[in-house]
Amino acid sequence: MQLYNTLTRHKEEFVPAGDEVTMYVCGLTVYDDMHIGHALGTITFEVLHRYLEWRGYKVKRIQNFTDVDDKIINRAQKEEISSEELSQSYIDAFFDDMAGLNVMLATEYPRATQSMDQIIAVIADLIEKGFAYESEGSVYFDVRKDKTYGELSHRSLDDMLQGTRFDPEPGKNYPADFALWKLSKDGEPAWESPWSDGRPGWHIECSAMAYEHLGKVIDIHGGGLDLVFPHHENEISQSKAFTSEDTFARFWMHNGMLRLSGEKMSKSIGNIVRVHDVLADHSSDAFRLWIYTSHYRSPLLYDQQGLDVAERAARRIRTAIVPRDATSDSTPLAAGEFEDRFIAAMDDDMNVPQAMAVVFDLVRDINRSADAGVDVVAAQDKLRELTSVLGLTLEELATEAGDLDESVIQGLLDQRAESRAQRDFAAADRIRDELQAMGVAITDSPDGTTWSRT
RNA sequence: GGCGACGUAGCCAAGUGGCCUAAGGCAGAGGUUUGCAAAACCUCCAUUCGGCGGUUCGAAUCCGCCCGUCGCCUCCA
């Protein structure tokens, strides 16, 4: 499988270093609801996980929660609850959204606050090795000690300093140095350390947790494109300093940003669409199919209509797995060619849009063959298999009809069948409209009438 | 200012030197089927890939310039 590696800016053949694929994905800072940009990134790496497993690899995927951070502290103070309560409530919400999106969970979800011993040990080691220094109760990483600093974002320290958005902190020896440990003010969450009662900087938790759960060198490190600099750059630097290895992650993968009205969807800009809101009137399949129209490294523009379009596309796939009777003796439809094409697409840097094109080609072939009476059972099984690799459920969106008494629907259907038998089509159509208004779509066929939720 | 990405049909979007007279989804047109629908199936729907030059036997794909959009440059998925 070829994967694009941000480090080398090329697609490279991916082979795990050991028996299982080790994957670390930067997760959320839990101070607010999850928005669909977070879902885009999460699903990108979840699909990679599903695909690698389907191809026979064992995968260990770790996704962290940043549950100590200035924004969490501020928000908790505003709501007059503890930081723990606040972050826990958003972690709970996160798992609700994961279930709603049919996301296969990661192997583990470590939290910064539960990895404090490990974080402090790494920082102490970095000081001992001379890569970090203490200053006024805080600890900073000395980026000038790392001659390869900038290798991921492909820029030199000089380039970075030209950015001029540096707000030099008094304790730093050098503006580009970053905090490993921060002294906490009164009333802020704090952990005991050799340097002060404080809390970890943002970057160190990922290195410490990756090391703790996956080892010194990991196969794949993932996250959003906006994390390349400084977050992942700093992770590489401090991790290499700590482990003395010449690399931290063999592959760095970054997904494109979700945009809303031209701008990146971001909590700080405030142009947010919550996962929860999208799932209120769209199936997870529709959300995924919408995402799957574009490649994971491309930016994606939020589009309400795009979700509606995807809903119809989802229905098209669901229709193709409805059981069909074979009435012909001809050879059953084989799906091997489609599977080969699916694999070829996915092996090319997870080209999910291409893989979806294959899926839709299979859908057409199933419908065509089934109409001709050909046995499509095996092909339908293959369709289910391939779509499940992409996390599709092929289940209908539960709507108000879900709360309806099915006997009521059946009663109306019986009435309509009676009307049709008497060729009173006006009455039959009235009942059909009535059902439609309830969210029930009906389909007549020679074998009778079936219904589904819309 | 520095680094980088993108611009393909009405919309979304794949394709990055010949298999492209360019996937797939949605929308649209005609047809089959149906009491009528819906769904499904068949046919059609970009001689063309932001613009202008260049390299090449050959370019949507490589190079240059221009126009437009976006990301990162210590909050960010």
Side-chain angles (χ1 to χ4, degrees):
Chain A
M1 180 182 200
Q2 298 268 316
L3 291 175
Y4 182 87
N5 190 347
T6 308
L7 197 57
T8 58
R9 291 183 174 168
H10 288 290
K11 287 183 195 172
E12 296 171 25
E13 185 63 27
F14 174 74
V15 179
D19 294 338
E20 65 179 359
V21 177
T22 52
M23 184 174 2
Y24 186 95
V25 181
C26 283
L28 275 65
T29 302
V30 279
Y31 71 100
D32 203 347
D33 285 323
M34 186 178 180
H35 70 239
I36 58 179
H38 299 128
L40 172 66
T42 297
I43 288 174
T44 296
F45 295 102
E46 179 237 15
V47 169
L48 179 60
H49 184 167
R50 284 182 188 263
Y51 180 68
L52 288 170
E53 278 196 347
W54 183 64
R55 294 303 306 280
Y57 291 107
K58 283 177 71 178
V59 179
K60 189 170 185 186
R61 174 169 52 113
I62 303 296
Q63 182 167 357
N64 69 296
F65 287 119
T66 299
D67 60 350
V68 54
D69 161 273
D70 290 350
K71 289 186 294 271
I72 294 172
I73 294 168
N74 292 340
R75 179 97 182 228
Q77 284 174 348
K78 201 173 293 178
E79 297 188 11
E80 297 181 332
I81 56 175
S82 70
S83 291
E84 296 83 58
E85 281 178 275
L86 183 87
S87 53
Q88 186 59 50
S89 74
Y90 287 118
I91 287 170
D92 293 343
F94 171 86
F95 284 112
D96 286 347
D97 287 340
M98 288 296 99
L101 292 167
N102 190 39
V103 168
M104 180 173 81
L105 293 182
T107 313
E108 282 182 69
Y109 291 90
R111 307 179 191 186
T113 58
Q114 293 173 358
S115 311
M116 212 48 82
D117 292 347
Q118 183 67 31
I119 290 170
I120 290 170
V122 172
I123 297 173
D125 183 82
L126 288 173
I127 294 175
E128 198 171 312
K129 287 178 174 154
F131 285 101
Y133 56 90
E134 185 190 346
S135 171
E136 299 167 25
S138 293
V139 178
Y140 297 96
F141 187 86
D142 185 350
V143 297
R144 288 176 295 182
K145 286 273 164 57
D146 176 9
K147 296 304 170 215
T148 58
Y149 192 73
E151 63 178 338
L152 182 68
S153 52
H154 303 279
R155 57 185 101 180
S156 66
L157 274 175
D158 287 346
D159 290 342
M160 294 172 202
L161 293 175
Q162 277 185 10
T164 69
R165 268 166 61 174
F166 282 115
D167 185 17
E169 290 174 39
K172 286 185 184 179
N173 289 349
Y174 184 71
D177 290 348
F178 57 89
L180 298 172
W181 189 261
K182 294 160 85 167
L183 171 72
S184 287
K185 298 194 202 87
D186 282 346
E188 293 178 344
W191 285 260
E192 252 181 63
S193 82
W195 317 288
S196 65
D197 286 353
R199 57 183 187 273
W202 174 35
H203 315 295
I204 194 64
E205 61 175 74
C206 286
S207 290
M209 289 188 280
Y211 175 69
E212 182 178 359
H213 293 275
L214 299 171
K216 286 183 174 178
V217 177
I218 62 181
D219 289 316
I220 298 171
H221 193 127
L225 201 53
D226 56 348
L227 296 184
V228 172
F229 189 88
H231 185 53
H232 288 164
E233 196 71 74
N234 291 349
E235 275 188 55
I236 292 180
S237 201
Q238 68 202 4
S239 292
K240 283 170 30 176
F242 172 68
T243 64
S244 303
E245 300 283 334
D246 59 7
T247 191
F248 172 36
R250 298 170 54 239
F251 281 77
W252 286 88
M253 295 178 63
H254 295 96
N255 61 278
M257 294 293 100
L258 187 62
R259 306 201 312 231
L260 181 61
S261 26
E263 278 184 301
K264 180 175 81 172
M265 186 169 290
S266 163
K267 290 177 191 171
S268 43
I269 299 174
N271 55 341
I272 298 298
V273 177
R274 288 178 168 77
V275 170
H276 184 78
D277 295 334
V278 166
L279 289 178
D281 48 9
H282 292 283
S283 62
S284 70
D285 285 355
F287 180 71
R288 282 179 181 260
L289 286 175
W290 172 65
I291 285 176
Y292 296 164
T293 58
S294 100
H295 186 87
Y296 80 87
R297 285 192 280 117
S298 301
L300 182 60
L301 191 64
Y302 176 73
D303 174 19
Q304 173 67 43
Q305 281 191 337
L307 283 166
D308 296 339
V309 162
E311 200 73 72
R312 287 190 282 275
R315 223 170 294 156
R316 180 167 165 78
I317 301 173
R318 282 178 207 128
T319 307
I321 58 164
V322 171
R324 303 283 293 265
D325 291 331
T327 56
S328 150
D329 294 333
S330 51
T331 326
L333 176 64
E337 176 216 329
F338 295 96
E339 179 167 355
D340 292 345
R341 287 170 55 206
F342 180 88
I343 290 171
M346 292 297 284
D347 275 356
D348 181 13
D349 191 28
M350 270 217 296
N351 193 332
V352 175
Q354 195 70 60
M356 280 312 304
V358 175
V359 166
F360 282 110
D361 282 347
L362 175 56
V363 164
R364 171 167 289 110
D365 221 5
I366 287 172
N367 288 331
R368 186 190 293 152
S369 299
D371 284 356
V374 173
D375 178 0
V376 293
V377 172
Q380 288 179 318
D381 284 347
K382 189 55 73 179
L383 175 61
R384 256 192 221 95
E385 182 182 338
L386 298 182
T387 51
S388 76
V389 171
L390 299 178
L392 300 177
T393 65
L394 304 187
E395 286 164 10
E396 291 164 21
L397 175 65
T399 61
E400 307 83 76
D403 308 323
L404 280 179
D405 191 343
E406 293 203 7
S407 65
V408 172
I409 295 170
Q410 196 53 52
L412 288 166
L413 288 178
D414 290 344
Q415 277 182 42
R416 178 167 172 275
E418 179 64 24
S419 300
R420 290 182 74 208
Q422 292 171 8
R423 304 194 69 77
D424 181 358
F425 296 119
D429 291 349
R430 253 197 318 279
I431 295 169
R432 181 165 64 194
D433 291 344
E434 195 177 326
L435 285 162
Q436 182 71 45
M438 290 161 60
V440 175
I442 60 178
T443 305
D444 297 324
S445 80
D447 308 324
T449 299
T450 58
W451 64 275
S452 62
R453 293 167 186 143
T454 56

